[in-house]
Amino acid sequence: MIMSLNLDAITKAVTEAKSKAKKRRFKQSYELIVKFRDFDVKNQANRFNMTITLPHALQGKEPKICVIATGAMVLAAREAKADAILTREDIEKLSGNKKEVRRLANSYDYFIATPDLMVLIGRVMGQILGPRNKIPEAIQPNADIKTVIDRLKRSVRIRVKDQPQIMCKVGTEDMDPKQVAENIAAVLSEILNKVRPEQLRAVVIKLTMSSPVSVNPFISR
């Protein structure tokens, strides 16, 4: 039996979740919750974490990107409107200053760095960035930094750690339900590269302050 994602069913669940949500003074987010069965989280192979690029950018608060670079990449990152840019000298000054490294780790969602700085970053910031799953993505000095930043700004991170489930933001209430559904489908597709369809015990969609809506996201053929 071949299983494929049912975009219509997912869109219907997104619409239902919105109908169940009371109007609030803030913009609510759509959250996707996927629970697994027969899934041993003590097995390191199952403790996956991934950064997934969504087809539609999340409206409202965008992920913040910090670029750590030298030379021409510094100027390119500035032109690409990176949220923060750190140089080799900036990282060296952070040595031993765990409070400031922790502040940076909490202030930015993604870090990007040129390969020549990765060892230094690991030594100065690794103990704090690592547990937060924020070790920088290495990019070559001639890479198109704007493309990388744009990709990360429409990305979400999913992670399985202590519980057999993942939770992530997939949209906001002012987005078209079909766009939210397509974001959900993108996340589910990546998850299905790691687990079998029958290991998905539940797929739930909800707005921040709405009741959860369960959905069977598959079509059987």
Side-chain angles (χ1 to χ4, degrees):
M1 181 183 295
I2 299 174
M3 308 287 282
S4 58
L5 291 172
N6 186 342
L7 192 60
D8 288 339
I10 298 171
T11 304
K12 183 178 179 181
V14 169
T15 303
E16 183 180 348
K18 185 172 184 178
S19 71
K20 290 185 174 184
K22 293 182 179 179
K23 202 67 181 172
R24 304 288 177 173
R25 293 183 179 179
F26 62 93
K27 185 186 296 185
Q28 297 188 64
S29 299
Y30 282 102
E31 298 169 4
L32 173 67
I33 305 166
V34 180
K35 299 179 180 181
F36 305 110
R37 63 161 60 92
D38 301 326
F39 195 86
D40 181 11
V41 294
K42 294 181 180 179
N43 183 343
Q44 287 297 322
N46 289 335
R47 289 194 169 195
F48 61 81
N49 61 75
M50 298 183 287
T51 298
I52 300 173
T53 303
L54 302 175
H56 306 286
L58 303 179
Q59 303 300 315
K61 186 180 179 182
E62 289 185 330
K64 288 191 173 183
I65 316 297
C66 177
V67 177
I68 307 172
T70 56
M73 183 62 78
V74 173
L75 178 60
R78 190 174 296 125
E79 291 176 347
K81 294 182 169 47
D83 296 290
I85 302 168
L86 301 177
T87 63
R88 178 187 296 275
E89 291 74 22
D90 293 326
I91 301 301
E92 290 172 344
K93 289 177 184 177
L94 289 172
S95 183
N97 190 345
K98 290 186 177 181
K99 182 178 179 180
E100 181 60 16
V101 174
R102 197 173 291 112
R103 186 193 69 78
L104 286 167
N106 292 334
S107 298
Y108 300 97
D109 299 281
Y110 299 104
F111 290 81
I112 305 169
T114 46
D116 59 310
L117 296 177
M118 292 296 286
V119 172
L120 175 63
I121 294 166
R123 186 171 68 247
V124 175
M125 306 176 73
Q127 285 188 331
I128 292 172
L129 293 183
R132 290 168 169 78
N133 194 28
K134 292 185 178 181
I135 293 296
E137 176 181 331
I139 58 167
Q140 296 303 316
N142 60 349
D144 183 347
I145 187 67
K146 185 177 187 308
T147 298
V148 176
I149 290 174
D150 288 346
R151 169 174 59 79
L152 289 175
K153 280 188 176 291
R154 56 188 178 90
S155 295
V156 292
R157 183 180 285 117
I158 66 171
R159 187 179 189 184
V160 173
K161 191 176 180 183
D162 300 321
Q163 299 295 323
Q165 66 177 31
I166 65 99
M167 301 174 64
C168 69
K169 180 179 174 181
V170 288
T172 49
E173 63 181 333
D174 55 346
M175 291 176 65
D176 182 276
K178 187 174 181 182
Q179 290 185 329
V180 178
E182 289 171 350
N183 282 353
I184 291 170
V187 174
L188 291 175
S189 293
E190 291 295 332
I191 291 173
L192 291 171
N193 287 330
K194 298 286 186 178
V195 303
R196 303 184 307 277
E198 57 269 24
Q199 288 182 278
L200 271 59
R201 179 166 65 85
V203 176
V204 176
I205 300 164
K206 67 184 294 294
L207 276 167
T208 308
M209 303 297 290
S210 79
S211 302
V213 175
S214 295
V215 59
N216 176 1
F218 298 114
I219 299 174
S220 300
R221 304 184 181 206

